[in-house]
Amino acid sequence: MNGGHLPAAASDDLKSPLLPVVHNDEPLEKQTLGHHLRTIFTPKNCYIALGPLLCAVVCLCARLGGEDTTTAKNMLGVLVWMFAWWLTEAVPMPITSMSPLFLFPLFGITTADHVASSYMDDVISLVLGSFILALAVEHYNIHRRLALNITMVFCVEPLNAPVLLLGICATTAFVSMWMHNVAATVMMMPVATGILQRLPSSPSSSSEMVPPAVGKFCRAVVLGVIYSAVVGGMSTLTGTGVNLILVGMWKSYFPEADPISFSQWFFFGFPLALCLFVMLWGILCVLYCPKGSGKLLSPYLHKSHLRTELEMLGPMSFAEKMVLSVFGGLVVLWMTRNITDDIPGWGCIFNGRAGDGTVRVMMATLLFIIPNGIKKGEKLMDWGKCKKLPWNIVLLLGAGFAIADGVRTSGLAEVLSKGLVFLETAPYWAIAPTVCLIAASITEFTSNNATTTLLVPLLIEIAKNMQIHPLLLMVPGAIGSQFAFLLPTGTPSNVVGFTTGHIEIKDMIKTGLPLKIAGTAFLSVLMPTLGTYVFGSKGGV
């Protein structure tokens, strides 16, 4: 049995245990009452009890006002329960994300079938297909080949530090456009740090005198990767979970309205992301790429180094070409499903029944059909390679859709929106930046998805009372929740960059604060201008 461990194939054996057997080796004489109490009253178990306790307090003591608010009060209690578990991580996040499946029916918010439908719809299928394609790109090392090729283009001679930084940031933003920004950060950070490894280490660990410009450039690269992934993800629906939550809520609250398509969002999101990207690059160049830094870095970073790494990957294989072909076909189908009102896309052939998720899953399926050209009978992908699918993100999105639907159907959104009634008397040019700043502030302390899930339903009710198009408030709220630029815990991408050891919190604040202000300004200008044209949001729904 190979030292007591089952071989990999045994995991599919129905007779083998699904989980390893745990033996309690603690001597019986040590298992006293005090020992059992210490194992029960742990900080984590206290956090577990905190969720239902807060829920009970809200359900019994909260006064929401109005008639028959029992369901809304129960929904608020469930929200407090779930957010307590999310913030304390008392229960694994994917398990907390599944809690609406039993909490909603038990508290009389909705039926079991209705809440379960939130966990699998066109948006969720879009996410699953996106992750499968991302796994294929990662498996065949296409992201590394792409990064090296683009970086070589920007690695001019003599070395220009701002231009090289532009290449690294642009590559990360491009990759993040087509897969989740966290996945893009995880994939691109090793590529970026691999380039930085050619630079001398810090003075404390090396006898060589290290120029300050080297340390500054390292900080610029790491900050550029984590922020470029966020900015690039804003430009497409698949780049971040927040955009998908927004689309799902729009579909849930306004089922009769036209859904937000991939191309429609791209025509608004890409110009916004481009403005933010240029601002990000400018901030990094001013703060971390002083004049003459390229001359100091040139002995360590040379085009021949990148060329050597690219040659080690060898020529592009048949499998890589097929994955890129599938990817290219997917982008074309996405952009042509709905073109304009005058020029209908291929979606009209199916009378609008096919969505972006339909295309994504169809193209992902091709990966399991096309041979990889390496071994007879092997395909580009098999289910074994899909075991790394991030189900935690899928379940989190499902929970977001379930919460949004519960907040709407229970009447809680209408009750809570009264607390923001002061916004109804303000002009729109003042509301958009206010909403964006509120979301951008909350998201520093909670997840982007949680901020969007909580805030957007309230903005919908405010938009209804103001008699303006809901997207004029929904989009600033959703995009503002992605401006988590100040703290390492703001997003998983920030954590990935912070753990490299190249940046500190003061670096994030110094770069993130002007970027957050610029993002709010760009959004406040683009939403009432370009946004009204792209989304047709000149009047109410």
Coordinates of all heavy atoms in Angstrom, one line a residue, residues 200-208 210:
P200 N 19.7 42.2 -7.9 CA 20.4 41.9 -6.6 C 19.4 42.0 -5.4 O 18.5 42.8 -5.5 CB 21.5 43.0 -6.5 CG 21.0 44.1 -7.4 CD 20.3 43.4 -8.5
S201 N 19.7 41.2 -4.4 CA 18.8 41.2 -3.2 C 19.1 42.5 -2.4 O 19.9 43.3 -2.7 CB 19.0 40.0 -2.4 OG 20.4 39.8 -2.0
S202 N 18.3 42.5 -1.3 CA 18.4 43.7 -0.4 C 19.8 43.8 0.3 O 20.4 42.8 0.4 CB 17.3 43.7 0.7 OG 17.5 42.5 1.5
P203 N 20.2 44.9 0.7 CA 21.5 45.1 1.3 C 21.8 44.2 2.5 O 22.9 43.9 2.8 CB 21.6 46.6 1.6 CG 20.6 47.3 0.8 CD 19.5 46.2 0.5
S204 N 20.7 43.9 3.3 CA 20.8 43.2 4.5 C 21.2 41.7 4.2 O 21.8 41.1 5.1 CB 19.5 43.2 5.3 OG 18.5 42.6 4.5
S205 N 21.0 41.3 3.0 CA 21.3 39.9 2.7 C 22.4 39.7 1.7 O 22.6 38.7 1.1 CB 20.1 39.1 2.3 OG 19.5 39.8 1.1
S206 N 23.0 40.9 1.3 CA 24.0 40.8 0.3 C 25.1 41.9 0.6 O 24.8 43.0 1.0 CB 23.4 41.1 -1.1 OG 24.4 41.1 -2.1
S207 N 26.3 41.5 0.3 CA 27.4 42.4 0.5 C 27.5 43.5 -0.6 O 28.2 44.5 -0.5 CB 28.8 41.7 0.6 OG 29.0 40.9 -0.6
E208 N 26.8 43.2 -1.7 CA 26.8 44.1 -2.9 C 25.9 45.4 -2.6 O 24.9 45.2 -2.0 CB 26.3 43.4 -4.1 CG 26.3 44.3 -5.4 CD 25.7 43.6 -6.6 OE1 25.3 42.4 -6.4 OE2 25.6 44.2 -7.6
V210 N 23.3 47.8 -3.2 CA 22.2 47.8 -4.1 C 21.6 49.2 -4.3 O 21.3 49.9 -3.3 CB 21.0 46.9 -3.5 CG1 19.8 46.9 -4.5 CG2 21.5 45.5 -3.3

